[in-house]
Amino acid sequence: MGVGNLHGGRLQNRLSLKSGFSMWFCIWQKELGAMLWRRDNCLMGQMGRQRIYLLGRLRKAVKWATLFAQLCAVRGDSRTSLEAEAYASYMKGTLLFEQDKNWETALVNFKNARAVYEELGKYGSIENQILCRERVEELEPSIRYCLHKVGKSSIQTSEFLGIGEMDGPALDLFRAKLETVMAEERSQQAASMTEFCWHGFRFPISNSKTRVFILKAQELEKDLNGPLVGSLSAEKRLGIFDKIFSAYHDARSCIRNDLTAAGNAENVKDDLNGLDKAVSAVLGQRTIERNQLLVSIAKSKFTKNRDDKGEKITKPEELVRLYDLLIQNATDLSDLVSSGRDRKPEEVAFVEELSLKILVFRAERCFYLAKSYSSAGKRTEAYVLFCHARSLADTAMQKLQLTNNADEALVKDLKALSYNCRSNSCIEHATGIMEEEKIPERLSKGVSTISLTGQQKKEEKFLVDLLDVYESAIGEANSKAPPRIERFPPPFQSVPCNPIILDNVFSSIEFPSLENRMKKDKKGLFGRLWR
C-alpha cells in the first residue's frame, strides 16, 4: 500500500505539472496570437493612415486645380485656360482612380485632358509640343484601364504588364494599382490551379505560394509567345526573361521548403520531387531561349560595320562563348530529363529534340571558331574547321528532315550555314594558296633590303659620347622622347684573349736509357737450368 500510494502520488504530481505546463503554454500561445494580431492591426492602421493622408492631399490638389482653372478662365488667355482646364480634369480623374469608384467619371476626365493635350501639342514651340505628347502617352494607360473596369474594352488584365513598364510621373498610381490588381487576380487563379502539367505528367500543387509564382511565370511567358512579341525590343524581352527566372526560382524555393517539411511521407515527397524536376526543366528551357536571343542579338551586330550608330561589332569569340553556354544548357537539361526511371514517350521525344539542338549548336560554334582562326590568319586551321562545321550542319539537316514535324525555319538556317561553310572553306583554301605563292617574293624582298653598313637606321646620339662636343643629347624642350644619356645595357666590347700554345716538341725528344738504374731480379737453380 505504501509503495502504491508513493507511485500514485508521483503520477499525480507529474499530471499536475503536465497540466500546469500545458495551461501556461496555452496562455503563452494566446498572448503570442494577440501580439501578432496587434502588430498586423498596427501595420494595417499605418497603411490606412497613409492612404487617408494621400486621399486628403489629392482632394486639396483637385480643389486648388479647379480654382486655378476658374481664375485662368477669367484672367488668362485661351491657351493658359485650356492648360489649366486639362490639369484640373487630370487631377479629378486621378482622385477617382485612387478611390476605386466612379470609373465612368474618371474616364470622362481623362479623355477630356487627353483631348486638350492633343490639341495643344499641335501648336506652340517644339518643347511645348514634346511635353504635351508625353502627357498624352502617360494618360493612355489610365484611359485603357478605366475602359477595362467599365467593361468597354476586351483587353485582359495580364496585357497591362507592358504598360506598367513605362516611365513617367503620371504612371506611379497606375503602377501601384496594377500590382494590386495582378496580385488579386493571381490569388484567384491560384485557388483553382491544382496541378502542373509537363510532358504527360501531372504534379499536384498544394502550396498556394508555389501556385502564385508559377502563375506569374506563365503570364510572363504568354507575353513572350503572344502576337505582340515582334514589337518588343530585345532589352524588354531580356527583362521579361529575368522576371520569369525570378518567379520560377521562388517557386523552387517553396517546393524545397515543402520537401523539408514533408518528413517521411514518401508519396508527398515523390510528388514534390517530380514537381521540382518539372519546374527545373521549364527553367532550363527558358534559359536556352534567353541565350538564343543573346545569340541573335550578337549575330545582328556581327555583320554590321563599326560605323553603324557607333556600335561595337561582335567578335567571333563572343559567339563561340555563347554557343558553349547553349551546349552546356542543353546537355544539363537532357541529363535532368533522362534521370527518371519511368520515361514516357513525350520525354523520349524531348531528349531526342535536345540532342538535335546540341548538334546544331556544335555546328554553329565550329563555324564561328573557324571565323576566329581566319581573322588570326591561320588558314589551315580555319579551312579544317569550316569543313567540319559543314559536315555537322549536313548531319543535323538530315536528322531534322527525318522527323515528323520538321521546323522549316531551322532547316533553312542549316542550309544557309552549310552554304556559308562551303564558301568560306573555298575562300580560305584560295587565300592560303595565294599567301604560299607570295612567300618567295617576300623572302627575296626582305633579303634585298638587308644592309651591312647600318646607315638606314638613324644613329642615336648619347650624352656620354658627346662630352667634348657642344651638342645636346637630352633632346628638345618640347620633345616627349626620353633623354639619351648612356646605352643600357652597354654594348659588347672586344678584349684580348690568352695565346694558344701547341706542344709539338714532345714527340721529337729522345730520352736516355734507364736500364742500368733498374733493379735486377735474382734467379734460382731451376731458372738457370731452364735458361
Side-chain angles (χ1 to χ4, degrees), residues 252-500:
R252 288 192 64 193
S253 64
C254 292
I255 295 171
R256 298 292 173 84
N257 294 334
D258 293 340
L259 275 171
T260 305
N264 296 325
E266 294 297 332
N267 295 330
V268 177
K269 291 179 71 175
D270 290 341
D271 292 337
L272 289 174
N273 284 322
L275 180 61
D276 184 42
K277 176 184 175 180
V279 172
S280 302
V282 175
L283 187 60
Q285 288 180 265
R286 300 299 168 263
T287 305
I288 292 175
E289 293 174 2
R290 179 184 180 275
N291 289 336
Q292 285 179 325
L293 177 60
L294 292 176
V295 166
S296 63
I297 296 172
K299 281 184 178 180
S300 65
K301 296 180 181 180
F302 181 73
T303 56
K304 286 184 178 180
N305 295 324
R306 193 177 294 271
D307 297 334
D308 295 345
K309 298 181 181 179
E311 293 182 355
K312 187 178 179 181
I313 62 174
T314 303
K315 295 181 180 180
E317 293 83 1
E318 298 178 13
L319 283 163
V320 171
R321 181 182 60 83
L322 289 175
Y323 276 111
D324 282 333
L325 288 176
L326 281 171
I327 293 172
Q328 185 64 41
N329 297 145
T331 305
D332 294 342
L333 183 56
S334 178
D335 294 340
L336 177 64
V337 177
S338 303
S339 61
R341 295 181 180 178
D342 299 332
R343 297 174 60 188
K344 292 192 175 183
E346 292 85 355
E347 285 184 312
V348 176
F350 184 66
V351 172
E352 292 178 355
E353 182 183 354
L354 285 175
S355 63
L356 185 59
K357 282 186 177 181
I358 291 172
L359 188 59
V360 175
F361 294 154
R362 285 179 58 198
E364 294 277 359
R365 178 189 178 276
C366 190
F367 174 78
Y368 287 104
L369 186 61
K371 281 284 187 181
S372 175
Y373 276 99
S374 176
S375 61
K378 299 181 178 180
R379 306 298 174 190
T380 306
E381 292 85 350
Y383 175 79
V384 173
L385 287 171
F386 277 129
C387 294
H388 185 56
R390 184 187 177 190
S391 174
L392 291 174
D394 292 340
T395 305
M397 189 163 48
Q398 292 175 2
K399 289 184 178 180
L400 187 62
Q401 289 174 349
L402 292 176
T403 58
N404 296 326
N405 299 322
D407 191 357
E408 297 296 333
L410 185 56
V411 172
K412 185 178 179 181
D413 292 340
L414 286 173
K415 288 182 179 178
L417 177 62
S418 178
Y419 176 77
N420 290 331
C421 290
R422 181 178 179 277
S423 59
N424 280 276
S425 62
C426 294
I427 291 172
E428 293 298 325
H429 189 202
T431 307
I433 292 175
M434 292 173 62
E435 290 180 354
E436 188 176 357
E437 292 291 333
K438 291 181 180 179
I439 289 176
E441 182 181 353
R442 289 200 303 266
L443 183 60
S444 61
K445 185 177 179 181
V447 171
S448 63
T449 56
I450 294 177
S451 176
L452 299 177
T453 59
Q455 294 180 358
Q456 293 182 358
K457 186 178 179 182
K458 186 179 179 181
E459 185 178 357
E460 296 183 354
K461 298 180 180 179
F462 296 91
L463 182 61
V464 177
D465 301 332
L466 302 173
L467 295 178
D468 55 347
V469 180
Y470 188 75
E471 182 178 352
S472 175
I474 305 242
E476 300 294 334
N478 298 327
S479 177
K480 296 182 179 179
R484 300 183 297 275
I485 300 175
E486 176 59 286
R487 296 179 182 87
F488 187 81
F492 290 101
Q493 295 179 0
S494 59
V495 295
C497 60
N498 295 327
I500 299 174

Side-chain angles (χ1 to χ4, degrees), residues 73-84:
V74 177
R75 296 292 183 181
D77 56 359
S78 58
R79 185 180 181 86
T80 305
S81 177
L82 280 175
E83 290 180 357

Side-chain angles (χ1 to χ4, degrees), residues 201-240:
F201 292 96
R202 295 180 178 273
F203 303 102
I205 306 175
S206 58
N207 194 337
S208 60
K209 292 183 178 179
T210 308
R211 297 174 186 171
V212 171
F213 290 133
I214 292 177
L215 280 173
K216 181 180 178 181
Q218 290 177 350
E219 288 175 357
L220 292 167
E221 288 173 353
K222 291 179 182 178
D223 294 339
L224 287 176
N225 301 322
L228 300 177
V229 67
S231 60
L232 294 176
S233 62
E235 289 77 11
K236 289 186 178 180
R237 292 170 67 186
L238 290 175
I240 294 175

